[in-house]
Amino acid sequence: MTPGATGASEDSPIEILETKTTATGSAQTFGFRITGNDKKPFIRMTLEAPADSELISVNVKFPGLGVILEQKYLDDGPRIVVDDKESTGTAIGALEVGDILRAFSAVYTVTPPTDVMAFYANPPKKVNVRGMYEVNGKNFAKTIAAIQSNGELIDRFGEKMEVSDISLVVERKKVAPAE
């Protein structure tokens, strides 16, 4: 497993399911565990990283990450990066200045599946569920709104529950080995 990566457990719901080498670097498939869903226990997301970088997954308490994110224009276009750290926060030990935010857990409002007849007779209520958000560096405002969505209550087992953690995947430049 990649240094700093976390395996799926009760404390850490994200793990690396697969790693492949590509022509331009590597691709990793991450699994984000959705509690209570035995039929489909993971949301799968594949992300690619250039050869000089690695993808690192972390799980930290939310809210209060303690990092300052900024949209920067790098060689490959706009990216959302960790620009600075505050003096306190849950992510300051796990993230480094310069890390590129690639994906994170977020709360989505969805309509549960239902058959057509039931939909018109008794439309289902919308529910808040957790999922993974793939970061688009071109849309900083949408990314920040998706991070803030973790402050919404989620619907789980017929009850409203607070989100107490957030899973993040960042791209970090590899450290050159000392000679």
Side-chain angles (χ1 to χ4, degrees):
M1 205 174 263
T2 305
T6 57
S9 70
E10 287 184 33
D11 296 322
S12 179
I14 192 167
E15 72 177 72
I16 298 170
L17 300 177
E18 181 180 22
T19 301
K20 291 182 180 178
T21 302
T22 65
T24 58
S26 66
Q28 289 182 324
T29 300
F30 292 89
F32 177 71
R33 189 173 302 283
I34 301 297
T35 308
N37 187 342
D38 295 331
K39 294 180 183 174
K40 201 172 191 182
F42 286 108
I43 291 176
R44 297 173 64 93
M45 178 178 285
T46 302
L47 301 170
E48 290 191 24
D52 65 342
S53 297
E54 61 186 338
L55 295 171
I56 298 176
S57 62
V58 297
N59 195 63
V60 295
K61 296 292 179 198
F62 185 86
L65 298 177
V67 294
I68 298 168
L69 299 173
E70 184 175 313
Q71 182 182 39
K72 290 193 174 183
Y73 290 86
L74 304 177
D75 294 338
D76 55 350
R79 299 295 196 131
I80 311 273
V81 300
V82 175
D83 189 51
D84 201 2
K85 295 183 184 183
E86 297 175 350
S87 57
T88 61
T90 61
I92 59 174
L95 300 180
E96 296 178 5
V97 172
D99 283 352
I100 299 170
L101 189 60
R102 297 293 306 274
F104 56 87
S105 54
V107 176
Y108 293 89
T109 301
V110 299
T111 302
T114 186
D115 65 41
V116 175
M117 294 303 288
F119 181 83
Y120 290 109
N122 187 15
K125 285 190 336 184
K126 293 189 182 273
V127 294
N128 289 341
V129 296
R130 293 193 80 188
M132 287 298 285
Y133 177 84
E134 188 170 355
V135 175
N136 177 350
K138 296 177 183 174
N139 198 334
F140 183 73
K142 189 173 181 180
T143 300
I144 296 303
I147 290 173
Q148 291 171 338
S149 75
N150 286 285
E152 298 291 324
L153 296 176
I154 58 171
D155 296 290
R156 179 71 73 212
F157 308 116
E159 295 182 18
K160 298 282 187 183
M161 300 174 71
E162 282 189 19
V163 173
S164 60
D165 63 345
I166 183 171
S167 298
L168 304 144
V169 178
V170 297
E171 180 183 318
R172 182 177 295 162
K173 293 286 184 195
K174 290 180 182 175
V175 178
E179 293 184 33

